[in-house]
């Protein structure tokens, strides 16, 4: 592979991302040299160039490939992310990650891809094996909407299948407000969706250590981890537990029919926990917050029509219906 030196010209990352996507759209081999170059820019000292390169990698390349919902898109995005990880490992800040991956024998593209191929095959979890499980970790999708659509379904069905196990949901602060329950513990773990590539890559060793601390002294048979295609593991490429303890939902593969995210999640869990019924998306609000809402509404009068609208702050214009729609909706 040719080593390219990063340039410092503003606008260049967007141009390189466009070249990459145009090449892929023609069915040609993905030019991973461009990904290496963009990664070097994203990890470089120029903050403006680094931000533009990071945005180009995720918003202009990885996100469109993921939103393609195709097996080819998954395969290409995997190779892109592996190239980004390997570039980070050559950076001075990547020393810890490089050592961890060497210890886990993930040192080249094929070792990552072989593990991923094994991971995406759903494996049944027989009742006899469930009895040994002491701790279950369910990773957040980071975005609030996806946590309701996907993570909540996993929580509900795992709770029914493993009532004796400790359940942990792992991710940002909003999880503690979204899923408030006596049977569910929240492991607070921050991940900056709009952060730098350095921030994104340095998150995994922290999470690996957090899970390692929580599972110290336990055998792989006593641990389960559910990864719903989350950014926390760079879409399943970075491990947190043994392969035998990990269950990974790839929401982006070719489907025979168009399904909603809750339906995809329930279908996946039907293979792993076939004796548990399908569950709809849900959230569990802290009773004290509900009481505050009731008290607030008491001051509005009995005939007041009440409605709450949250239009989100996802920062992705491709997933918005536009300002006019939002204004008319509120009106």
């Amino acid at each position: 592979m040719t080593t390219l030196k990063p340039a410092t010209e503003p606008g260049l990352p967007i141009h390189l991302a466009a070249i990459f996507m145009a090449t892929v759209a023609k069915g040609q081999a993905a030019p991973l040299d461009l990904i290496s170059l963009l990664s070097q820019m994203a990890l470089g000292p120029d903050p403006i160039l680094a931000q533009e390169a990071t945005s180009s990698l995720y918003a202009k390349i990885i996100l469109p490939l993921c939103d393609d919902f195709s097996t080819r898109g998954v395969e290409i995005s995997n190779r892109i992310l592996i190239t980004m990880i390997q570039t980070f490992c050559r950076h001075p800040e990547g020393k810890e990650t490089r050592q961890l991956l060497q210890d886990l024998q993930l040192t080249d593209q094929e070792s990552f891809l072989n593990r991923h191929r094994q991971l995406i095959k759903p494996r049944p979890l027989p009742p006899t094996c469930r009895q040994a499980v002491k701790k279950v970790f369910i990773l957040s999708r980071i975005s609030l909407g996806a946590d309701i659509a996907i993570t909540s379904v996993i929580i509900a069905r795992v709770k029914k299948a493993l009532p004796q196990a400790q359940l942990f949901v792992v991710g940002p602060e909003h999880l503690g407000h979204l899923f408030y329950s006596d049977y569910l513990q929240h492991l607070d773990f921050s991940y900056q969706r709009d952060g730098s590539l350095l921030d994104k890559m340095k998150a995994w060793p922290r999470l690996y250590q957090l899970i390692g601390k929580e599972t110290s002294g336990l055998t792989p048979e006593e641990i389960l981890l559910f990864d719903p295609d989350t950014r926390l593991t760079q879409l399943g490429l970075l491990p947190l537990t043994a392969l035998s303890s990990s269950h990974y939902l790839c929401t982006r593969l070719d489907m025979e029919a168009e399904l909603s995210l809750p339906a995809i999640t329930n279908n996946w869990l039907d293979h792993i926990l076939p004796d548990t019924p399908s569950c709809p998306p849900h959230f569990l609000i802290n009773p004290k917050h509900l009481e505050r809402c009731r008290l607030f509404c008491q001051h509005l009068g009995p005939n007041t029509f009440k409605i709450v609208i949250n239009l989100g702050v996802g920062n992705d214009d491709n997933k918005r219906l536009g300002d006019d729609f939002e204004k008319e909706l509120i009106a």
Side-chain angles (χ1 to χ4, degrees), residues 246-264:
S246 305
H247 293 273
Y248 175 71
L249 166 62
C250 190
T251 57
R252 299 164 288 122
L253 294 170
D254 291 328
M255 301 285 176
E256 292 182 2
E258 288 189 14
L259 298 173
S260 66
L261 289 175
I264 291 171

Side-chain angles (χ1 to χ4, degrees), residues 244-285:
S244 61
S245 305
S246 305
H247 293 273
Y248 175 71
L249 166 62
C250 190
T251 57
R252 299 164 288 122
L253 294 170
D254 291 328
M255 301 285 176
E256 292 182 2
E258 288 189 14
L259 298 173
S260 66
L261 289 175
I264 291 171
T265 307
N266 272 305
N267 285 354
W268 174 65
L269 289 168
D270 286 343
H271 293 284
I272 302 168
L273 306 168
D275 55 334
T276 60
S278 294
C279 293
H282 68 282
F283 49 87
L284 303 166
I285 302 298

Side-chain angles (χ1 to χ4, degrees), residues 150-254:
I150 298 173
T151 312
S152 74
V153 174
I154 300 174
I155 291 170
R157 292 188 62 170
V158 168
K159 171 58 182 173
K160 291 177 181 178
L162 296 108
Q164 84 289 351
Q166 286 183 275
L167 264 61
F168 298 84
V169 62
V170 186
E173 182 185 6
H174 71 250
L175 294 171
H177 302 293
L178 199 61
F179 305 120
Y180 180 87
S181 173
D182 292 337
Y183 64 77
L184 189 64
Q185 299 181 55
H186 173 216
L187 282 183
D188 189 17
F189 185 83
S190 61
Y191 180 88
Q192 299 182 41
R193 291 176 61 188
D194 299 324
S196 67
L197 183 59
L198 200 60
D199 293 330
K200 295 176 189 294
M201 290 297 168
K202 288 175 70 175
W204 175 68
R206 288 192 295 115
L207 183 56
Y208 187 88
Q209 292 171 3
L210 177 63
I211 299 296
K213 181 180 178 181
E214 289 292 335
T215 57
S216 177
L218 299 179
T219 65
E221 293 75 23
E222 295 172 319
I223 304 163
L224 279 180
L225 182 134
F226 290 85
D227 180 348
D229 223 5
T230 175
R231 296 173 173 90
L232 295 177
T233 59
Q234 295 299 323
L235 306 183
L237 289 168
L238 294 169
L240 295 171
T241 59
L243 189 65
S244 61
S245 305
S246 305
H247 293 273
Y248 175 71
L249 166 62
C250 190
T251 57
R252 299 164 288 122
L253 294 170
D254 291 328

Side-chain angles (χ1 to χ4, degrees), residues 11-44:
L12 181 59
I14 297 173
H15 179 64
L16 294 176
I19 294 174
F20 181 92
M21 293 302 286
T23 303
V24 169
K26 295 176 183 176
Q28 299 175 8
L32 295 177
D33 280 351
L34 296 182
I35 301 301
S36 295
L37 179 55
L38 282 167
S39 300
Q40 291 174 57
M41 292 179 183
L43 296 168

Side-chain angles (χ1 to χ4, degrees), residues 44-57:
D46 184 331
I48 296 176
L49 186 67
Q51 181 181 16
E52 189 177 335
T54 301
S55 176
S56 296
L57 282 165

